[in-house]
Amino acid sequence: MRKRFHKGTQVGVVILGAGPAGLVLGNLLLDRGVDCVILERRGRAAVEGRARAGFLAANSVRLLAENGLGAGVLTRGRAHGTCLFRSDRGEFTLDYGKLGQGETHTVYPQQELVRDLVAEFLRRGGDLRFEAEAEEISQGRVRVRGGAEVAGRYVAGCDGHRGVARRVLAARGVRTDRWDHGVSWLAVLVQAPPSLAAVGYALHERGFAGHMARTESVTRYYLQCPRGTDSSDWSEDRIWAELATRMRTTEFGPLHEGAVLEKAVVDLRSDVLETPGSEQLWLAGDAAGLISPSAAKGANLAVLQAELLARALHGALARGDEHGLARYAADCLPRVWRAHEFSHWMSTLLHGPADGGAEARYGRALQYARLDSLRTSRAHQDFFAENYTGI
Ligand SMILES: Cc1cc2nc3c(=O)[nH]c(=O)nc-3n(C[C@H](O)[C@H](O)[C@H](O)COP(=O)(O)OP(=O)(O)OC[C@H]3O[C@@H](n4cnc5c(N)ncnc54)[C@H](O)[C@@H]3O)c2cc1C
């Protein structure tokens, strides 16, 4: 039977953050009869309008569908199974949906997924409080900006990379292992149909450029840029000119241009918490570890971790059995590290060295050797496909 949270009582789980991790977790907990409340720092419109990810792995889609959360992604998402690599040595396409495990992505903008998950959480009778920023966590109690306090048997930190949950764990001495990929991307969302049928990865001596479909009329592009770049230095004209150069449109054909809807600089950094929680505080998604967007894994890891955490919390609350929570780290971390390993590999494939010395020449030659191996070796292609779509 589904229970409801009543003001003044202690809920089973206080969830911080209404991103993919918090919303999947909240929906799964409600479905298993666990009381929970979601506290979200931003307003509803901001949460539902935040464009980020777009490529969902087959496992994420299965998990959403099996838990009654897949109506939107199954009807409006589009299967996607090809990617294209372009450089001064030509281009080639990998039909990754037919390689490896034969799995594809589903293209579905993150903000639409978030909208679906908010609607379903509310339909299931969930308590979701917008503009409720968690400031402090002390055991099961969360103090919200403005002074209110919400108490839970457990707290789930799904409040992203800059949230309060990971700060609390850090203060408890939990180690963070991290890597700075040393590059940044100007992430641009444009009002224009995709220019390619495939995901596009262009290697260029001026830096990497990427192309990813979002919808039939919106496309995401990426341009590698130096650390410290200010997005306001990039006018629409400059963005399109640079994309044209790096994507070699003279040779391979023009891009569909349109108005720039959003532009932001993303520093490519990755980190993983040594353990994603302890005692009453457990983390999922970007809060537990940030992964660079080079292999489109972040939202997928968030969905996966939310499902594992929902099972563990349900076991603890329904049966008083905390073994699942004790195993949560062991369940998550090997998969998280597999995703990081592939994401790191992708980053070394996409980004060439910055300057022109002997080491840069060596690094560039390795980059091309990797690309050539991917173009010609079936074993390498299977490795790519399995890791690109797997989680
Ligand atoms: C440009 C870009 C492209 C990407 N593309 C992909 C892709 O194609 N595929 C993919 O899998 N991943 C992709 N990602 C990564 C993906 O978007 C993230 O990994 C994903 O959003 C993580 O979900 P989350 O729920 O853990 O965190 P978030 O989505 O960050 O949600 C956290 C929520 O917590 C709220 N919050 C923060 N602090 C507090 C607080 N103190 N109290 C209450 N609420 C709080 C925030 O407002 C936010 O709503 C991309 C990321 C970027 C930046």
Side-chain angles (χ1 to χ4, degrees):
M1 198 182 83
R2 286 176 192 150
K3 297 182 205 161
R4 290 213 54 179
F5 171 70
H6 298 287
K7 210 174 172 186
T9 60
Q10 185 195 50
V11 288
V13 185
V14 182
I15 300 171
L16 312 183
L23 288 164
V24 169
L25 177 63
N27 273 292
L28 299 190
L29 289 178
L30 281 189
D31 200 46
R32 289 164 165 85
V34 174
D35 286 346
C36 60
V37 53
I38 301 181
L39 306 177
E40 165 55 50
R41 180 169 69 91
R42 298 167 197 252
R44 182 167 180 173
V47 167
E48 294 186 338
R50 192 165 166 236
R52 295 181 92 194
F55 273 58
L56 289 175
N59 190 56
S60 307
V61 175
R62 259 194 306 272
L63 195 152
L64 293 167
E66 282 168 11
N67 288 285
L69 304 172
V73 68
L74 293 175
T75 50
R76 297 193 299 281
R78 285 168 300 121
H80 196 291
T82 52
C83 65
L84 173 151
F85 292 89
R86 195 174 270 182
S87 73
D88 57 343
R89 302 185 185 180
E91 65 172 20
F92 64 93
T93 301
L94 283 188
D95 206 349
Y96 64 81
K98 297 196 177 120
L99 295 160
Q101 310 278 5
E103 294 200 316
T104 56
H105 284 114
T106 300
V107 183
Y108 193 58
Q110 180 168 324
Q111 66 274 29
E112 292 198 29
L113 176 65
V114 163
R115 231 173 279 150
D116 297 347
L117 293 171
V118 167
E120 184 58 23
F121 185 75
L122 297 176
R123 198 194 63 76
R124 291 179 184 191
D127 182 352
L128 172 44
R129 302 178 192 186
F130 291 103
E131 295 173 16
E133 179 175 355
E135 285 191 321
E136 230 177 82
I137 307 166
S138 169
Q139 291 168 335
R141 290 193 308 282
V142 177
R143 194 163 53 75
V144 181
R145 182 181 285 270
E149 200 173 85
V150 184
R153 175 74 187 85
Y154 294 99
V155 176
C158 303
D159 48 347
H161 186 241
R162 294 200 175 84
V164 66
R166 68 155 45 201
R167 283 206 300 277
V168 171
L169 282 194
R172 285 183 194 169
V174 173
R175 197 187 64 212
T176 305
D177 298 333
R178 58 173 63 90
W179 188 263
D180 185 342
H181 301 269
V183 292
S184 301
W185 286 358
L186 181 71
V188 185
L189 208 59
V190 303
Q191 185 72 62
S195 301
L196 305 165
V199 178
Y201 297 110
L203 278 56
H204 196 280
E205 62 269 19
R206 293 174 64 83
F208 160 73
H211 160 284
M212 283 195 179
R214 283 297 185 254
T215 67
E216 280 167 14
S217 57
V218 174
T219 307
R220 193 176 267 299
Y221 288 94
Y222 295 112
L223 282 167
Q224 182 183 347
C225 56
R227 190 57 60 81
T229 293
D230 182 346
S231 64
S232 62
D233 291 340
W234 285 82
S235 65
E236 289 207 5
D237 287 349
R238 184 176 174 202
I239 288 169
W240 287 115
E242 196 62 28
L243 282 169
T245 303
R246 297 191 195 180
M247 298 204 68
R248 301 173 196 277
T249 54
T250 321
E251 201 176 334
F252 296 107
L255 303 173
H256 295 307
E257 296 191 12
V260 171
L261 302 171
E262 270 183 42
K263 54 182 176 175
V265 174
V266 183
D267 294 337
L268 269 66
R269 292 197 172 98
S270 302
D271 63 37
V272 179
L273 294 191
E274 175 190 10
T275 179
S278 64
E279 300 167 26
Q280 286 169 271
L281 176 61
W282 296 90
L283 275 55
D286 281 9
L290 181 71
I291 187 163
S292 83
S294 48
K297 296 287 187 201
N300 292 291
L301 282 178
V303 170
L304 173 80
Q305 289 175 313
E307 201 260 346
L308 294 173
L309 187 54
R311 267 196 251 172
L313 287 169
H314 176 244
L317 286 159
R319 300 188 300 278
D321 174 4
E322 289 203 331
H323 284 98
L325 282 174
R327 271 199 321 272
Y328 175 57
D331 287 344
C332 282
L333 286 173
R335 301 184 216 203
V336 167
W337 279 113
R338 278 284 299 271
H340 276 255
E341 191 281 323
F342 182 68
S343 198
H344 189 275
W345 179 89
M346 275 293 277
S347 183
T348 59
L349 178 72
L350 302 179
H351 305 115
D355 58 41
E359 286 191 0
R361 289 197 305 277
Y362 182 89
R364 175 88 53 204
L366 286 188
Q367 199 189 4
Y368 278 103
R370 254 178 229 128
L371 195 64
D372 202 42
S373 172
L374 195 54
R375 183 177 63 80
T376 54
S377 158
R378 173 65 199 247
H380 204 165
Q381 292 169 359
D382 283 332
F383 160 85
F384 174 85
E386 196 172 311
N387 285 277
Y388 194 47
T389 55
I391 197 85

